[in-house]
Amino acid sequence: MYPAEIVIPMKEELTENGFSELLTSSEVDKTITDKGTTLVFINSVCGCSAGTARPGVLLAVHNSAKKPDHLTTSFAGFDVDAVKKIREHLLPYPPSSPAIALFKDGKLVHFIERHNIEGRSAHMIAQNLIGAFDEYCN
């Protein structure tokens, strides 16, 4: 597990912008299977998370006309049980962090894996997500 003093500022970057934390496996199951759309961001300490993934997610949420009903996040290597449960909902995709998933009525409808984040700008990630929000969110 990563030290809290490293993780907490990275978590706060999202929670201060309306994201709720998924900290337990039961919270994950309840939230992901709720009606409506749920954005799940698997946060990470890696450079691509700080450089493009977190900023891209925030750009999308702040600049999209349509938004998910629920904005959520869990931290890989810190919120261990929650991330393990999220990854069960992401199968058959392999574990990836950072990663961004959009669920609608409990079904995975859009997924951005780490290899789709690396080498892309925050703006490119935001545009990808805004397209998904336009398609799946009200």
Side-chain angles (χ1 to χ4, degrees), residues 86-100:
I86 292 166
R87 287 178 172 156
E88 290 175 16
H89 288 275
L90 297 174
L91 290 172
Y93 292 98
S96 177
S97 60
I100 309 161

mmCIF file with all atom_site columns, all heavy atoms in Angstrom, residues 86-100:
data_model
loop_
_atom_site.group_PDB
_atom_site.id
_atom_site.type_symbol
_atom_site.label_atom_id
_atom_site.label_alt_id
_atom_site.label_comp_id
_atom_site.label_asym_id
_atom_site.label_entity_id
_atom_site.label_seq_id
_atom_site.pdbx_PDB_ins_code
_atom_site.Cartn_x
_atom_site.Cartn_y
_atom_site.Cartn_z
_atom_site.occupancy
_atom_site.B_iso_or_equiv
_atom_site.pdbx_formal_charge
_atom_site.auth_seq_id
_atom_site.auth_comp_id
_atom_site.auth_asym_id
_atom_site.auth_atom_id
_atom_site.pdbx_PDB_model_num
ATOM 1   N N   . ILE A 1 86  ? -14.015 -3.489  -8.208  1.00 0.00 ? 86  ILE A N   1
ATOM 2   C CA  . ILE A 1 86  ? -14.235 -2.758  -9.461  1.00 0.00 ? 86  ILE A CA  1
ATOM 3   C C   . ILE A 1 86  ? -13.718 -3.587  -10.630 1.00 0.00 ? 86  ILE A C   1
ATOM 4   O O   . ILE A 1 86  ? -14.384 -3.716  -11.654 1.00 0.00 ? 86  ILE A O   1
ATOM 5   C CB  . ILE A 1 86  ? -13.548 -1.373  -9.433  1.00 0.00 ? 86  ILE A CB  1
ATOM 6   C CG1 . ILE A 1 86  ? -14.220 -0.451  -8.428  1.00 0.00 ? 86  ILE A CG1 1
ATOM 7   C CG2 . ILE A 1 86  ? -13.543 -0.741  -10.828 1.00 0.00 ? 86  ILE A CG2 1
ATOM 8   C CD1 . ILE A 1 86  ? -13.416 0.802   -8.100  1.00 0.00 ? 86  ILE A CD1 1
ATOM 9   N N   . ARG A 1 87  ? -12.531 -4.148  -10.459 1.00 0.00 ? 87  ARG A N   1
ATOM 10  C CA  . ARG A 1 87  ? -11.926 -4.923  -11.552 1.00 0.00 ? 87  ARG A CA  1
ATOM 11  C C   . ARG A 1 87  ? -12.753 -6.149  -11.911 1.00 0.00 ? 87  ARG A C   1
ATOM 12  O O   . ARG A 1 87  ? -12.753 -6.582  -13.064 1.00 0.00 ? 87  ARG A O   1
ATOM 13  C CB  . ARG A 1 87  ? -10.484 -5.280  -11.194 1.00 0.00 ? 87  ARG A CB  1
ATOM 14  C CG  . ARG A 1 87  ? -9.597  -4.046  -11.276 1.00 0.00 ? 87  ARG A CG  1
ATOM 15  C CD  . ARG A 1 87  ? -8.174  -4.305  -10.886 1.00 0.00 ? 87  ARG A CD  1
ATOM 16  N NE  . ARG A 1 87  ? -7.357  -3.117  -11.171 1.00 0.00 ? 87  ARG A NE  1
ATOM 17  C CZ  . ARG A 1 87  ? -6.226  -2.842  -10.567 1.00 0.00 ? 87  ARG A CZ  1
ATOM 18  N NH1 . ARG A 1 87  ? -5.738  -3.672  -9.649  1.00 0.00 ? 87  ARG A NH1 1
ATOM 19  N NH2 . ARG A 1 87  ? -5.553  -1.758  -10.879 1.00 0.00 ? 87  ARG A NH2 1
ATOM 20  N N   . GLU A 1 88  ? -13.490 -6.701  -10.957 1.00 0.00 ? 88  GLU A N   1
ATOM 21  C CA  . GLU A 1 88  ? -14.413 -7.800  -11.281 1.00 0.00 ? 88  GLU A CA  1
ATOM 22  C C   . GLU A 1 88  ? -15.506 -7.311  -12.228 1.00 0.00 ? 88  GLU A C   1
ATOM 23  O O   . GLU A 1 88  ? -15.911 -8.032  -13.143 1.00 0.00 ? 88  GLU A O   1
ATOM 24  C CB  . GLU A 1 88  ? -15.043 -8.367  -10.010 1.00 0.00 ? 88  GLU A CB  1
ATOM 25  C CG  . GLU A 1 88  ? -14.081 -9.143  -9.136  1.00 0.00 ? 88  GLU A CG  1
ATOM 26  C CD  . GLU A 1 88  ? -14.709 -9.600  -7.826  1.00 0.00 ? 88  GLU A CD  1
ATOM 27  O OE1 . GLU A 1 88  ? -15.958 -9.586  -7.704  1.00 0.00 ? 88  GLU A OE1 1
ATOM 28  O OE2 . GLU A 1 88  ? -13.933 -9.963  -6.921  1.00 0.00 ? 88  GLU A OE2 1
ATOM 29  N N   . HIS A 1 89  ? -15.962 -6.083  -12.028 1.00 0.00 ? 89  HIS A N   1
ATOM 30  C CA  . HIS A 1 89  ? -16.992 -5.509  -12.899 1.00 0.00 ? 89  HIS A CA  1
ATOM 31  C C   . HIS A 1 89  ? -16.433 -5.127  -14.268 1.00 0.00 ? 89  HIS A C   1
ATOM 32  O O   . HIS A 1 89  ? -17.216 -4.877  -15.188 1.00 0.00 ? 89  HIS A O   1
ATOM 33  C CB  . HIS A 1 89  ? -17.617 -4.277  -12.237 1.00 0.00 ? 89  HIS A CB  1
ATOM 34  C CG  . HIS A 1 89  ? -18.496 -4.588  -11.079 1.00 0.00 ? 89  HIS A CG  1
ATOM 35  N ND1 . HIS A 1 89  ? -19.830 -4.916  -11.204 1.00 0.00 ? 89  HIS A ND1 1
ATOM 36  C CD2 . HIS A 1 89  ? -18.233 -4.642  -9.746  1.00 0.00 ? 89  HIS A CD2 1
ATOM 37  C CE1 . HIS A 1 89  ? -20.348 -5.136  -10.011 1.00 0.00 ? 89  HIS A CE1 1
ATOM 38  N NE2 . HIS A 1 89  ? -19.398 -4.979  -9.106  1.00 0.00 ? 89  HIS A NE2 1
ATOM 39  N N   . LEU A 1 90  ? -15.118 -5.054  -14.389 1.00 0.00 ? 90  LEU A N   1
ATOM 40  C CA  . LEU A 1 90  ? -14.472 -4.669  -15.648 1.00 0.00 ? 90  LEU A CA  1
ATOM 41  C C   . LEU A 1 90  ? -14.062 -5.857  -16.519 1.00 0.00 ? 90  LEU A C   1
ATOM 42  O O   . LEU A 1 90  ? -13.546 -5.660  -17.613 1.00 0.00 ? 90  LEU A O   1
ATOM 43  C CB  . LEU A 1 90  ? -13.244 -3.796  -15.363 1.00 0.00 ? 90  LEU A CB  1
ATOM 44  C CG  . LEU A 1 90  ? -13.529 -2.458  -14.682 1.00 0.00 ? 90  LEU A CG  1
ATOM 45  C CD1 . LEU A 1 90  ? -12.224 -1.762  -14.327 1.00 0.00 ? 90  LEU A CD1 1
ATOM 46  C CD2 . LEU A 1 90  ? -14.399 -1.573  -15.564 1.00 0.00 ? 90  LEU A CD2 1
ATOM 47  N N   . LEU A 1 91  ? -14.246 -7.059  -15.999 1.00 0.00 ? 91  LEU A N   1
ATOM 48  C CA  . LEU A 1 91  ? -13.865 -8.232  -16.779 1.00 0.00 ? 91  LEU A CA  1
ATOM 49  C C   . LEU A 1 91  ? -14.623 -8.255  -18.103 1.00 0.00 ? 91  LEU A C   1
ATOM 50  O O   . LEU A 1 91  ? -15.769 -7.841  -18.163 1.00 0.00 ? 91  LEU A O   1
ATOM 51  C CB  . LEU A 1 91  ? -14.153 -9.512  -15.982 1.00 0.00 ? 91  LEU A CB  1
ATOM 52  C CG  . LEU A 1 91  ? -13.241 -9.721  -14.783 1.00 0.00 ? 91  LEU A CG  1
ATOM 53  C CD1 . LEU A 1 91  ? -13.722 -10.900 -13.942 1.00 0.00 ? 91  LEU A CD1 1
ATOM 54  C CD2 . LEU A 1 91  ? -11.802 -9.944  -15.221 1.00 0.00 ? 91  LEU A CD2 1
ATOM 55  N N   . PRO A 1 92  ? -13.991 -8.656  -19.198 1.00 0.00 ? 92  PRO A N   1
ATOM 56  C CA  . PRO A 1 92  ? -12.746 -9.408  -19.321 1.00 0.00 ? 92  PRO A CA  1
ATOM 57  C C   . PRO A 1 92  ? -11.495 -8.542  -19.458 1.00 0.00 ? 92  PRO A C   1
ATOM 58  O O   . PRO A 1 92  ? -10.422 -9.060  -19.765 1.00 0.00 ? 92  PRO A O   1
ATOM 59  C CB  . PRO A 1 92  ? -12.964 -10.217 -20.597 1.00 0.00 ? 92  PRO A CB  1
ATOM 60  C CG  . PRO A 1 92  ? -13.762 -9.285  -21.468 1.00 0.00 ? 92  PRO A CG  1
ATOM 61  C CD  . PRO A 1 92  ? -14.677 -8.560  -20.490 1.00 0.00 ? 92  PRO A CD  1
ATOM 62  N N   . TYR A 1 93  ? -11.609 -7.235  -19.226 1.00 0.00 ? 93  TYR A N   1
ATOM 63  C CA  . TYR A 1 93  ? -10.427 -6.384  -19.316 1.00 0.00 ? 93  TYR A CA  1
ATOM 64  C C   . TYR A 1 93  ? -9.450  -6.728  -18.193 1.00 0.00 ? 93  TYR A C   1
ATOM 65  O O   . TYR A 1 93  ? -9.862  -6.977  -17.063 1.00 0.00 ? 93  TYR A O   1
ATOM 66  C CB  . TYR A 1 93  ? -10.804 -4.906  -19.216 1.00 0.00 ? 93  TYR A CB  1
ATOM 67  C CG  . TYR A 1 93  ? -11.586 -4.410  -20.400 1.00 0.00 ? 93  TYR A CG  1
ATOM 68  C CD1 . TYR A 1 93  ? -12.971 -4.317  -20.339 1.00 0.00 ? 93  TYR A CD1 1
ATOM 69  C CD2 . TYR A 1 93  ? -10.951 -4.047  -21.582 1.00 0.00 ? 93  TYR A CD2 1
ATOM 70  C CE1 . TYR A 1 93  ? -13.705 -3.865  -21.424 1.00 0.00 ? 93  TYR A CE1 1
ATOM 71  C CE2 . TYR A 1 93  ? -11.675 -3.594  -22.670 1.00 0.00 ? 93  TYR A CE2 1
ATOM 72  C CZ  . TYR A 1 93  ? -13.047 -3.505  -22.587 1.00 0.00 ? 93  TYR A CZ  1
ATOM 73  O OH  . TYR A 1 93  ? -13.766 -3.059  -23.663 1.00 0.00 ? 93  TYR A OH  1
ATOM 74  N N   . PRO A 1 94  ? -8.148  -6.712  -18.487 1.00 0.00 ? 94  PRO A N   1
ATOM 75  C CA  . PRO A 1 94  ? -7.155  -6.981  -17.444 1.00 0.00 ? 94  PRO A CA  1
ATOM 76  C C   . PRO A 1 94  ? -7.032  -5.783  -16.498 1.00 0.00 ? 94  PRO A C   1
ATOM 77  O O   . PRO A 1 94  ? -7.434  -4.663  -16.849 1.00 0.00 ? 94  PRO A O   1
ATOM 78  C CB  . PRO A 1 94  ? -5.858  -7.193  -18.234 1.00 0.00 ? 94  PRO A CB  1
ATOM 79  C CG  . PRO A 1 94  ? -6.055  -6.416  -19.493 1.00 0.00 ? 94  PRO A CG  1
ATOM 80  C CD  . PRO A 1 94  ? -7.531  -6.498  -19.799 1.00 0.00 ? 94  PRO A CD  1
ATOM 81  N N   . PRO A 1 95  ? -6.479  -5.994  -15.310 1.00 0.00 ? 95  PRO A N   1
ATOM 82  C CA  . PRO A 1 95  ? -6.278  -4.883  -14.372 1.00 0.00 ? 95  PRO A CA  1
ATOM 83  C C   . PRO A 1 95  ? -5.494  -3.749  -15.027 1.00 0.00 ? 95  PRO A C   1
ATOM 84  O O   . PRO A 1 95  ? -4.536  -3.981  -15.763 1.00 0.00 ? 95  PRO A O   1
ATOM 85  C CB  . PRO A 1 95  ? -5.479  -5.510  -13.230 1.00 0.00 ? 95  PRO A CB  1
ATOM 86  C CG  . PRO A 1 95  ? -5.837  -6.958  -13.277 1.00 0.00 ? 95  PRO A CG  1
ATOM 87  C CD  . PRO A 1 95  ? -6.019  -7.268  -14.743 1.00 0.00 ? 95  PRO A CD  1
ATOM 88  N N   . SER A 1 96  ? -5.924  -2.538  -14.747 1.00 0.00 ? 96  SER A N   1
ATOM 89  C CA  . SER A 1 96  ? -5.312  -1.361  -15.341 1.00 0.00 ? 96  SER A CA  1
ATOM 90  C C   . SER A 1 96  ? -5.460  -0.202  -14.367 1.00 0.00 ? 96  SER A C   1
ATOM 91  O O   . SER A 1 96  ? -6.528  0.014   -13.807 1.00 0.00 ? 96  SER A O   1
ATOM 92  C CB  . SER A 1 96  ? -6.033  -1.027  -16.656 1.00 0.00 ? 96  SER A CB  1
ATOM 93  O OG  . SER A 1 96  ? -5.531  0.141   -17.241 1.00 0.00 ? 96  SER A OG  1
ATOM 94  N N   . SER A 1 97  ? -4.368  0.515   -14.162 1.00 0.00 ? 97  SER A N   1
ATOM 95  C CA  . SER A 1 97  ? -4.471  1.749   -13.393 1.00 0.00 ? 97  SER A CA  1
ATOM 96  C C   . SER A 1 97  ? -3.430  2.733   -13.932 1.00 0.00 ? 97  SER A C   1
ATOM 97  O O   . SER A 1 97  ? -2.297  2.345   -14.161 1.00 0.00 ? 97  SER A O   1
ATOM 98  C CB  . SER A 1 97  ? -4.275  1.498   -11.896 1.00 0.00 ? 97  SER A CB  1
ATOM 99  O OG  . SER A 1 97  ? -3.028  0.956   -11.620 1.00 0.00 ? 97  SER A OG  1
ATOM 100 N N   . PRO A 1 98  ? -3.852  3.933   -14.192 1.00 0.00 ? 98  PRO A N   1
ATOM 101 C CA  . PRO A 1 98  ? -5.214  4.405   -14.031 1.00 0.00 ? 98  PRO A CA  1
ATOM 102 C C   . PRO A 1 98  ? -6.145  3.780   -15.068 1.00 0.00 ? 98  PRO A C   1
ATOM 103 O O   . PRO A 1 98  ? -5.694  3.202   -16.058 1.00 0.00 ? 98  PRO A O   1
ATOM 104 C CB  . PRO A 1 98  ? -5.096  5.910   -14.249 1.00 0.00 ? 98  PRO A CB  1
ATOM 105 C CG  . PRO A 1 98  ? -3.919  6.057   -15.161 1.00 0.00 ? 98  PRO A CG  1
ATOM 106 C CD  . PRO A 1 98  ? -2.976  4.964   -14.768 1.00 0.00 ? 98  PRO A CD  1
ATOM 107 N N   . ALA A 1 99  ? -7.428  3.921   -14.815 1.00 0.00 ? 99  ALA A N   1
ATOM 108 C CA  . ALA A 1 99  ? -8.450  3.459   -15.751 1.00 0.00 ? 99  ALA A CA  1
ATOM 109 C C   . ALA A 1 99  ? -9.709  4.268   -15.495 1.00 0.00 ? 99  ALA A C   1
ATOM 110 O O   . ALA A 1 99  ? -9.944  4.752   -14.383 1.00 0.00 ? 99  ALA A O   1
ATOM 111 C CB  . ALA A 1 99  ? -8.713  1.971   -15.569 1.00 0.00 ? 99  ALA A CB  1
ATOM 112 N N   . ILE A 1 100 ? -10.520 4.405   -16.546 1.00 0.00 ? 100 ILE A N   1
ATOM 113 C CA  . ILE A 1 100 ? -11.747 5.188   -16.457 1.00 0.00 ? 100 ILE A CA  1
ATOM 114 C C   . ILE A 1 100 ? -12.863 4.355   -17.063 1.00 0.00 ? 100 ILE A C   1
ATOM 115 O O   . ILE A 1 100 ? -12.770 3.932   -18.218 1.00 0.00 ? 100 ILE A O   1
ATOM 116 C CB  . ILE A 1 100 ? -11.603 6.521   -17.220 1.00 0.00 ? 100 ILE A CB  1
ATOM 117 C CG1 . ILE A 1 100 ? -10.333 7.266   -16.806 1.00 0.00 ? 100 ILE A CG1 1
ATOM 118 C CG2 . ILE A 1 100 ? -12.850 7.379   -17.012 1.00 0.00 ? 100 ILE A CG2 1
ATOM 119 C CD1 . ILE A 1 100 ? -9.865  8.319   -17.794 1.00 0.00 ? 100 ILE A CD1 1
#
